[in-house]
Amino acid sequence: MSILPLILLVVVFYFLLIRPQRKRQQEAVQMQNSLTPGTRVMTTTGLFGTVTAVDNEDVILEVAPGIETRWVKAAIGRVVAPGDAPAAYEPDADEAGEGKNESEATVDRNDGQDSGTKQS
């Protein structure tokens, strides 16, 4: 009778941990094998790109116009729907020095003194 709890524990672990993990793994492999050129994806590291070519176990992503990188299919985390991609970064007015250009902000931080001149 003391072996029954051990068997029950193994069955519970199988249904709660092992089986769902295998299912997720199979879905990921299926998604990676179904990649086609033109698909927007996000890598497991968070890099967004567009698939330009698929070559055996490799995928070539265009991360910016004219910039292509080669990734293994396993590095593709998910397919991105058109509305899911993050918007281009635009700094707020506070972050941009409240409307000043960078050289004016530098002068303000240096109290109007050029950092390249020596003071006596």
Side-chain angles (χ1 to χ4, degrees), residues 91 93-109:
D94 294 336
E95 292 175 0
E98 296 180 7
K100 298 177 184 176
N101 65 30
E102 189 174 329
S103 62
E104 289 175 341
T106 303
V107 170
D108 287 348
R109 279 184 253 135

Side-chain angles (χ1 to χ4, degrees), residues 31-53:
M31 178 271 303
Q32 292 161 356
N33 288 331
S34 68
L35 293 174
T36 58
T39 306
R40 289 277 302 157
V41 296
M42 183 181 85
T43 65
T44 55
T45 59
L47 181 76
F48 288 88
T50 304
V51 176
T52 58

Side-chain angles (χ1 to χ4, degrees), residues 13-60:
F13 269 115
Y14 176 76
F15 281 105
L16 292 179
L17 298 174
I18 298 169
R19 191 167 175 239
Q21 179 62 28
R22 277 192 191 158
K23 186 177 179 183
R24 281 191 298 270
Q25 199 171 26
Q26 289 173 347
E27 289 172 354
V29 168
Q30 183 180 5
M31 178 271 303
Q32 292 161 356
N33 288 331
S34 68
L35 293 174
T36 58
T39 306
R40 289 277 302 157
V41 296
M42 183 181 85
T43 65
T44 55
T45 59
L47 181 76
F48 288 88
T50 304
V51 176
T52 58
V54 179
D55 181 36
N56 292 334
E57 293 300 313
D58 294 342
V59 176
I60 298 176

Side-chain angles (χ1 to χ4, degrees), residues 83-96:
D84 290 348
Y89 176 74
E90 295 180 18
D92 296 337
D94 294 336
E95 292 175 0

